[in-house]
């Protein structure tokens, strides 16, 4: 057996057409092809799935059952695999205690440095862990923020106490607390609070000195409204009723912990310094700036930790994450940022002979950052690993040792090997990818006229430096800039100030039974089509009704519990997974049974099912380039990019009042040739009078814009300003990353 290749014979997962393939090990291999051609089916659902399963099989049964299992891929022979690490775009750490520092282990090294060489000298490194009682701030349990009273929402100043000025439940007329505050004569119950003195309002809210001064007993006799609220609601964290929770939500907000200022650590640990810096200060520095500070720590006792830490920080900077801080919570990171952070983590590992599988690592990266991503992929390979990447970006293809193209088309028209070789060879070949690379859309020179503008005034979110921008309505606006420059922050300000519909990549449905048929609402139309053509009752063509197989209730599968094995879903033997009774399957339309309809692609269904309602329901899916989906395919299997296109299709179907749409990187998962389709769809939205705002790095989309807003120049602190606003053709400033990318790309 050849140990230097991964050998695949007869792969038939999803649409793979009995694929035979040899992939060199220890190389950087990029898999390309149009959307739906079978790249994921090959890389994730066959190679990575089988590698995972083979590893799982080496464990004894009791351990095996505790490991995640994947369906066995449909492949005749597969060899040459090694343990696989899938670096996907799923967000990291759904937990408030996970930060960029803890996730990358940079924080462990920093803790070690502080515990060994900090002044005053401290004991153990766990004193700098906010997840350890020895280090955590007691005011927030190490979370850096806590729930505080939103005192501004407590009072309605236009009312008197008797009229119900205190908004909290129980303080209104007749309420449980009402008498205590309004009726005992301590306060003037009949004058609107606005006419009270500042000191009197303070006494009402906080009691204490102010109350004593106004003749209401010694400090402590009277309990202020805020004190009482916090005692009842905030300091009794245990078992709150739903009603109490609702109260808390209305009268509180999360704020930076006043004790630690967000540093998450207790007072003693916050006071320790290294070279004059507290650990909290370093946590708030951008990683690119933190590296030189750490490198200056020159003590033999911590030299190895300093070296490892600097290496980690430099890797983050190299991969385009230099603008993050170690304090940043991982739950706030985007999908692309999460994936790059995971890559950094693996770079620090000393494992070799692994198989790394990455899904579109350039997501969220500006064209000018792609070279450093390529450098990182090469480093993973040079450490002795095999690196397999699904990607659409020609710059990544150019950096690969080998390119594998799957296609030529999507779904049933794909699943075959159409090319294997180097980049130069690809550009001379005649494949969908080669053709798309050769063909470039021209830059728009005549922008469509705007109908008005959405103004965002003085935006200061995150790194934005008091920006005021006008986003033209009725046209396509593209927000550009390097990763971390502030595009999402600006978009968030837009959404907060204007009604804008977000078309994102979150799952369309988590229900496995949701399919293009149920989603577009054409199920009824399909049943009546069959009833019309065959004379049988429509209910016979419903798997949930008359037509359903009695042994699996129309599900097509039955569940079985097998000894020593996980609960298994088995194909129903009676209907062989077809879900319908043989009586229902005896009727056909255009040679298709009702079960065959599920196997039709959206594009085929529009052609073959003679019904206006069905065609109308499916047309939009076809228009957004999802014609390759099968009607019965679970929408839970869709990628983020596909979900986003399903949502665009929904907006196209319900042409309502002109509105504004925001899309974040809609080219994710799209082949160059599918980008053309996407642009047609965005144009269709504009033609219907909608405003379309898109965050994008893809040059084809940028060139297509009517209006460009380019942020930068750098990430984080070095960004947050507008570099250019105007028609794309006039953005020629080569001192800016986007201007340079527009000028230098072919
Ligand atoms: P790509 O990664 O190239 O975009 P995929 O491998 O995701 O393509 O899809 C190839 C084909 O397989 C498409 O027709 C797609 O609809 C289908 N497919 C993908 N996942 C599943 C699944 N879980 N079940 C059935 N069909 C699937
Ligand atoms: P872009 O969309 O251009 O990649 P972002 O708007 O996401 O940029 O980020 C701009 C800056 O704001 C970066 O420094 C980023 O780290 C910071 N930032 C973004 N989101 C958050 C957040 N939730 N908390 C703290 N900082 C954030
Ligand atoms: Zn705190
Ligand atoms: Zn059945």
């Amino acid at each position: 057996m050849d140990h230097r290749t991964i050998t695949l014979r007869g792969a038939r997962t999803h649409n793979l057409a009995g694929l035979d393939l040899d992939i060199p090990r220890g190389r950087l291999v990029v898999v390309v092809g149009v959307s739906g051609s079978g790249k994921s089916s090959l890389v994730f659902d066959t190679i990575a799935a089988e590698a995972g399963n083979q590893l799982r099989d080496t464990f004894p049964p009791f351990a095996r059952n505790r490991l995640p299992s994947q369906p066995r891929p449909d492949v005749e022979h597969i060899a040459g695999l090694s343990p696989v690490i899938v670096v996907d775009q799923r967000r990291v750490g759904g937990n408030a205690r996970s930060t960029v520092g803890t996730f990358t282990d940079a924080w462990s090294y920093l803790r070690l440095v502080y515990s060994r060489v900090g002044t005053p000298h401290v004991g153990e490194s766990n004193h700098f862990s906010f997840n350890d009682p020895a280090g955590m701030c007691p005011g927030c349990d190490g979370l850096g923020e806590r729930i505080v009273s939103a005192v501004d929402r407590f009072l309605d100043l236009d009312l008197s106490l008797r009229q119900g000025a205190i908004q909290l439940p129980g303080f209104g007329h007749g309420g449980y607390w009402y008498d205590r505050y309004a009726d005992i004569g301590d306060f003037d119950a009949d004058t609107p609070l606005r006419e009270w003195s500042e000191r009197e309002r303070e006494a009402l809210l906080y009691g204490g000195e102010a109350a004593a001064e106004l003749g209401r007993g010694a400090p402590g006799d009277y309990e202020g409204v805020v004190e009482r609220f916090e005692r009842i609601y905030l300091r009794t964290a245990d078992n709150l009723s739903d009603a109490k929770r609702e109260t808390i939500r209305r009268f509180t907000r999360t704020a930076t912990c006043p004790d630690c200022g967000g540093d998450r650590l207790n007072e003693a640990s916050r006071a320790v310094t290294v070279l004059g810096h507290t650990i909290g200060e370093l946590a708030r520095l951008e990683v690119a700036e933190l590296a030189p500070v750490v490198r200056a720590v020159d003590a033999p006792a911590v030299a190895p930790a300093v070296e490892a830490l600097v290496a980690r920080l430099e890797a983050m900077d190299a991969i385009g994450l230099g603008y993050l801080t170690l304090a940043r919570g991982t739950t706030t990171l985007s999908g692309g940022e999460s994936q790059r952070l995971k890559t950094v983590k693996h770079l620090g590992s000393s494992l070799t002979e692994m198989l790394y599988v990455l899904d579109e690592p350039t997501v969220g990266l500006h064209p000018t950052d792609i070279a450093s991503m390529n450098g990182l992929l090469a480093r993973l390979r040079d450490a002795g690993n095999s690196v397999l990447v699904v990607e659409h970006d020609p710059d990544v293809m150019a950096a690969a040792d080998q390119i594998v193209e799957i296609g030529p088309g999507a779904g049933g028209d794909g699943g075959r090997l159409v090319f294997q070789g180097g980049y130069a060879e690809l550009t001379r070949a005649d494949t969908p990818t080669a053709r798309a690379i050769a063909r470039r859309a021209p830059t728009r020179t005549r922008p469509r006229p705007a109908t008005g503008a959405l103004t965002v005034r003085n935006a200061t979110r995150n790194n934005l430096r008091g920006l005021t921008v006008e986003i033209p309505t009725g046209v396509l606006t593209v927000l550009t800039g390097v990763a971390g420059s502030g595009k999402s922050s600006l978009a968030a300000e837009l959404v907060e100030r204007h009604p804008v519909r977000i078309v994102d990549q979150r799952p369309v449905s988590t229900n496995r039974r949701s399919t293009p048929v149920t989603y577009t609402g054409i199920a009824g139309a399909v049943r009546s089509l069959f009833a019309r053509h065959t004379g049988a009752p429509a209910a016979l063509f419903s798997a949930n009704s008359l037509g359903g197989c009695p042994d699996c209730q129309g599900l097509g599968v039955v569940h079985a519990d097998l000894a020593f094995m996980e609960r298994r879903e088995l194909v129903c033997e009676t209907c062989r997974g077809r879900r319908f009774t043989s009586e229902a399957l005896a009727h056909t339309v255009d040679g298709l049974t009702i079960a065959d309809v599920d196997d039709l692609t959206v594009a085929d269904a529009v052609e073959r099912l003679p019904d206006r309602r069905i065609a109308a329901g499916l047309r939009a899916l076809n228009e957004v380039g999802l014609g390759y989906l099968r009607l019965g395919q679970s929408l839970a299997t869709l990628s983020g990019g596909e979900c986003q296109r399903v949502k665009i299709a929904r907006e196209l179907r319900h042409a309502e009042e002109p509105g504004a749409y925001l899309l974040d990187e809609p080219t994710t998962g799209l082949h160059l040739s599918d980008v053309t389709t996407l642009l047609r769809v965005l144009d269709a939205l504009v033609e219907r009078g909608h405003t379309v705002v898109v965050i994008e790095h893809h040059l084809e989309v940028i060139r297509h814009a009517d209006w460009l807003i380019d942020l930068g120049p750098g990430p984080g602190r070095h960004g947050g300003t507008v570099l250019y606003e105007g028609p794309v053709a006039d953005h020629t400033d080569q001192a800016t990353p986007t201007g340079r990318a527009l000028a230098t790309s072919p």
Side-chain angles (χ1 to χ4, degrees):
M1 193 181 85
D2 182 357
H3 291 281
R4 298 313 305 166
T5 54
I6 297 170
T7 313
L8 224 84
R9 293 290 176 269
R12 292 197 169 73
T13 314
H14 306 145
N15 71 330
L16 298 183
L19 189 68
D20 297 340
L21 184 63
D22 294 305
I23 300 174
R25 288 176 50 84
R27 293 279 179 269
L28 171 55
V29 176
V30 174
V31 178
V32 305
V34 301
S35 312
S37 60
K39 300 181 297 297
S40 316
S41 300
L42 169 67
V43 172
F44 297 99
D45 303 328
T46 306
I47 296 176
E50 184 58 20
N53 281 330
Q54 287 184 1
L55 184 64
R56 192 168 170 273
D57 287 347
T58 63
F59 291 97
F62 70 90
R64 210 185 294 163
N65 286 338
R66 279 162 187 76
L67 294 170
S69 78
Q70 276 177 304
R72 283 275 167 192
D74 187 352
V75 55
E76 283 161 22
H77 172 79
I78 183 164
L81 295 173
S82 42
V84 65
I85 294 176
V86 176
V87 188
D88 58 19
Q89 290 166 18
R90 241 173 294 159
R91 320 246 156 152
V92 294
N95 143 5
R97 298 193 169 276
S98 168
T99 63
V100 167
T102 60
F103 183 79
T104 58
D105 293 332
W107 196 249
S108 316
Y109 294 122
L110 199 57
R111 276 164 42 198
L112 194 71
V113 172
Y114 271 77
S115 67
R116 297 273 168 81
V117 300
T119 28
H121 189 66
V122 267
E124 303 282 334
S125 92
N126 64 347
H127 286 108
F128 299 96
S129 167
F130 42 80
N131 295 326
D132 187 312
M136 65 172 59
C137 163
C140 59
D141 290 338
L143 292 174
E145 55 183 28
R146 71 180 195 215
I147 295 176
V148 298
S149 303
V151 179
D152 53 316
R153 297 185 206 146
F154 279 28
L155 305 177
D156 182 340
L157 298 182
D158 292 327
L159 303 179
S160 68
L161 289 181
R162 213 178 293 290
Q163 289 169 323
I166 303 177
Q167 303 290 298
L168 301 169
F171 286 81
H173 200 277
Y176 184 75
W177 299 109
Y178 176 75
D179 293 353
R180 176 73 186 82
Y181 289 87
D183 262 6
I184 55 171
D186 278 356
F187 294 100
D188 175 350
D190 296 301
T191 307
L193 268 47
R194 195 178 292 290
E195 292 166 34
W196 291 21
S197 73
E198 184 68 34
R199 197 70 174 152
E200 278 173 317
R201 282 197 297 264
E202 195 185 326
L204 175 73
L205 288 172
Y206 299 102
E209 287 293 338
E213 205 174 280
L214 296 169
R216 269 133 218 164
D221 280 6
Y222 161 82
E223 187 178 36
V225 175
V226 174
E227 283 180 289
R228 171 153 298 175
F229 173 80
E230 294 187 349
R231 181 167 57 80
I232 301 170
Y233 291 105
L234 296 193
R235 297 199 203 107
T236 53
D238 42 288
N239 298 334
L240 288 177
S241 67
D242 286 350
K244 280 196 177 182
R245 258 181 229 291
E246 180 59 19
T247 307
I248 290 197
R249 216 172 51 73
R250 279 168 51 215
F251 295 104
T252 57
R253 55 171 64 98
T254 27
T256 302
C257 168
D259 297 339
C260 63
D263 284 352
R264 299 172 180 244
L265 294 171
N266 63 36
E267 202 173 350
S269 306
R270 289 202 309 275
V272 177
T273 59
V274 168
L275 298 180
H277 305 285
T278 69
I279 196 167
E281 283 164 21
L282 297 195
R284 286 190 303 269
L285 274 189
E286 291 180 6
V287 159
E289 291 163 337
L290 178 58
V293 173
V294 173
R295 206 183 295 112
V297 177
D298 182 20
V302 292
V306 166
E307 194 188 326
L309 177 54
V310 169
R312 197 58 55 100
L313 299 174
E314 285 176 345
M316 288 176 66
D317 194 20
I319 206 167
L321 293 177
Y323 58 91
L324 294 181
T325 66
L326 294 188
R328 178 78 173 272
T330 51
T331 53
T332 67
L333 300 177
S334 70
E337 285 170 333
S338 302
Q339 190 182 38
R340 277 174 277 150
L341 208 59
K342 290 184 211 173
T343 313
V344 170
K345 199 169 155 143
H346 292 303
L347 281 171
S349 128
S350 55
L351 295 172
T352 69
E353 294 284 322
M354 303 295 279
L355 170 60
Y356 283 93
V357 175
L358 293 97
D359 185 13
E360 232 185 329
T362 61
V363 166
L365 282 185
H366 192 271
T368 53
D369 291 331
I370 287 174
S372 46
M373 170 55 80
N374 287 338
L376 276 163
L377 296 175
R379 269 173 63 188
L380 269 182
R381 171 200 60 200
D382 296 342
N385 302 296
S386 307
V387 184
L388 206 51
V389 183
V390 173
E391 194 40 87
H392 297 289
D393 194 298
D395 290 342
V396 181
M397 298 177 206
D401 297 312
Q402 190 175 87
I403 298 155
V404 170
E405 180 163 352
I406 305 297
D413 298 329
R416 296 190 290 279
L417 179 66
V418 297
F419 174 83
Q420 188 168 19
Y423 185 69
E425 205 183 326
L426 174 69
T427 54
R428 291 191 300 267
D430 184 27
T431 77
T433 300
R435 285 196 295 273
I437 291 173
R439 185 190 60 229
R440 295 284 169 154
T443 301
R444 185 188 294 279
T445 47
R446 284 205 218 123
R448 290 165 284 202
T451 55
L454 301 173
T455 305
V456 175
R457 218 178 293 286
N458 192 30
T460 55
R461 183 182 298 249
N462 297 325
N463 68 335
L464 301 180
R465 303 210 202 147
L467 298 190
T468 295
V469 294
E470 304 229 312
I471 293 167
T473 52
V475 297
L476 171 64
T477 296
V478 179
L479 303 182
T480 54
V482 298
S485 59
K487 302 178 296 295
S488 317
S489 304
L490 180 61
E493 295 268 11
L494 170 70
V495 170
E496 196 173 277
R497 297 164 198 224
H498 298 279
V500 175
R501 302 177 73 161
I502 302 170
V503 186
D504 62 19
Q505 304 193 351
R506 267 187 295 220
V508 180
S509 164
T510 48
N511 180 354
R512 281 180 42 215
R513 308 250 168 253
S514 172
T515 66
V517 171
T518 61
Y519 188 79
T520 55
I522 58 165
V526 171
R527 285 197 292 273
S528 17
L529 171 74
F530 270 78
R532 260 194 337 268
H533 278 248
T534 65
L540 185 64
F541 302 104
S542 164
N544 303 322
S545 177
L546 272 189
C549 163
D551 289 338
C552 62
Q553 281 79 45
L555 295 175
V557 290
V558 291
H559 292 99
D561 288 309
L562 305 173
F564 296 113
M565 291 181 105
E566 64 277 38
R567 215 168 120 83
R568 276 280 169 99
E569 219 178 54
L570 299 176
V571 174
C572 170
E573 286 183 4
T574 313
C575 63
R576 281 181 284 125
R578 304 196 54 151
R579 311 192 1 253
F580 289 92
T581 60
S582 45
E583 193 197 345
L585 295 178
H587 300 279
T588 58
V589 171
D590 185 23
L592 299 167
T593 69
I594 184 71
D596 292 336
V597 170
D598 275 351
D599 285 335
L600 286 181
T601 64
V602 166
D604 288 344
V606 172
E607 299 273 306
R608 289 189 61 181
L609 299 179
D611 185 277
R612 208 169 31 80
R613 271 187 301 161
I614 297 174
L618 296 177
R619 189 168 301 123
L621 282 178
N622 219 0
E623 280 177 26
V624 297
L626 292 174
Y628 60 87
L629 292 184
R630 297 200 179 275
L631 290 191
Q633 186 173 337
S634 165
L635 293 184
T637 64
L638 300 190
S639 69
E642 288 174 324
C643 289
Q644 190 174 40
R645 276 173 282 148
V646 169
K647 292 179 190 178
I648 299 175
R650 180 182 56 201
E651 301 302 338
L652 278 175
R653 266 190 314 133
H654 305 292
E656 297 159 11
E657 300 275 284
Y661 293 106
L662 172 71
L663 295 91
D664 189 354
E665 225 176 337
T667 61
T668 303
L670 286 188
H671 187 257
L672 286 167
S673 62
D674 301 314
V675 172
T676 316
T677 313
L678 174 78
L679 291 176
R680 272 209 303 276
V681 171
L682 297 182
D683 284 343
L685 285 171
V686 167
E687 275 150 28
R688 286 171 207 204
H690 298 299
T691 300
V692 182
V693 182
V694 179
I695 298 177
E696 255 306 339
H697 299 289
H698 203 290
L699 286 167
E700 299 280 310
V701 179
I702 297 175
R703 288 206 184 92
H704 199 72
D706 296 297
W707 192 258
L708 199 65
I709 299 179
D710 191 27
L711 299 181
R717 232 162 46 65
H718 311 284
T721 61
V722 174
L723 300 179
Y724 176 79
E725 285 175 275
V728 60
D730 299 340
H731 189 14
T732 51
D733 180 359
Q734 294 204 30
T736 66
T738 304
R740 197 159 54 243
L742 280 168
T744 55
S745 81

